[in-house]
Amino acid sequence: MGDKNGTAPPPYGFVPPPSAPPSYAQAVGGVPPVSPFTPQASTRVPAAIVTTVVPIGPHTTHMICPTCHAEINTQTRSEPGPIAYLSGLVIALLGCWLGCCLIPCCIDECMDVHHTCPNCKAYLGRHRR
């Protein structure tokens, strides 16, 4: 009274369980849940603005500002960087402390360059030497 595998047939009126549990709407009777976290069908997502990272160098750079999205040439400002201070310290340790140690702070190759947007004044980055 079994089949070829030796198992008994299911009893009369037996319904196999569903492959997945019922959804919330099926269990409650078709009423969808209301929550501020539930996405609505009428919600539209605004178009994303994609920006790329532009490498900045020692001179002004043509780019699109990530803050105001304007096409700009960056403003640059030079300030002494770690190399200028280290060079000045080495010069002072060698005995030239009466002002010669300040020479690296006047050389462009020892200065860090800071870039800002001329339109919105946002800080865009620093080129380190």
Side-chain angles (χ1 to χ4, degrees):
M1 305 177 158
D3 59 356
K4 296 179 186 176
N5 296 336
T7 59
Y12 181 74
F14 174 76
V15 177
S19 60
S23 68
Y24 179 83
Q26 291 171 341
V28 176
V31 179
V34 178
S35 168
F37 303 107
T38 305
Q40 302 296 326
S42 63
T43 304
R44 298 190 72 190
V45 178
I49 296 174
V50 178
T51 59
T52 57
V53 176
V54 176
I56 54 176
H59 305 291
T60 61
T61 304
H62 185 79
M63 64 185 296
I64 294 177
C65 176
T67 305
C68 66
H69 307 292
E71 188 173 346
I72 58 163
N73 285 325
T74 59
Q75 279 184 332
T76 58
R77 182 184 83 246
S78 297
E79 289 183 359
I83 291 190
Y85 293 124
L86 256 147
S87 301
L89 180 66
V90 168
I91 291 171
L93 290 176
L94 292 176
C96 299
W97 52 272
L98 287 176
C100 295
C101 59
L102 299 176
I103 291 175
C105 293
C106 301
I107 299 173
D108 284 337
E109 283 74 24
C110 295
M111 307 283 262
D112 287 351
V113 181
H114 298 268
H115 292 262
T116 56
C117 174
N119 191 25
C120 67
K121 307 299 182 211
Y123 183 75
L124 301 173
R126 172 174 62 178
H127 173 71
R128 290 186 177 185
R129 301 286 181 160

